[in-house]
Amino acid sequence: MAVFDQVKEVVVEQLSVDPEAVKLESKIIEDLGADSLDVVELVMALEEKFEVEIPDTEAEKLISISDVVNYIEKLGK
């Protein structure tokens, strides 16, 4: 399964958004309606899903879905 598909699965579950709304260019806060608590929970869910640790300084840079996908791909999954 592609990283994007796995990220999308987590985002849909965490933010209760329509899967069609989750695109690479979607911004987590502006487009998907996440608030700061949602973002924290999303990061935690992503860490669990991909078995990685995302430092707060890096999490702050994850604005769009493509940012998340690229970051996880860089970690080597």
Side-chain angles (χ1 to χ4, degrees):
M1 184 184 274
V3 173
F4 169 72
D5 293 326
Q6 292 176 298
V7 168
K8 181 177 180 175
E9 202 175 78
V10 174
V11 170
V12 167
E13 184 179 315
Q14 288 295 314
L15 303 182
S16 302
V17 293
D18 185 330
E20 297 298 312
V22 183
K23 299 177 174 55
L24 278 173
E25 63 273 10
S26 300
K27 290 187 171 35
I28 296 167
I29 294 174
E30 291 89 346
D31 298 333
L32 301 177
D35 61 23
S36 55
L37 179 59
D38 292 329
V39 172
V40 170
E41 291 175 344
L42 178 60
V43 168
M44 288 170 43
L46 290 165
E47 288 176 326
E48 190 175 311
K49 171 85 174 179
F50 292 99
E51 298 177 349
V52 296
E53 191 169 316
I54 304 173
D56 291 343
T57 54
E58 292 300 315
E60 291 169 6
K61 299 175 192 170
L62 303 177
I63 306 299
S64 69
I65 298 300
S66 64
D67 295 338
V68 176
V69 171
N70 292 336
Y71 182 78
I72 290 170
E73 286 175 342
K74 267 199 308 198
L75 292 177
K77 213 168 113 182

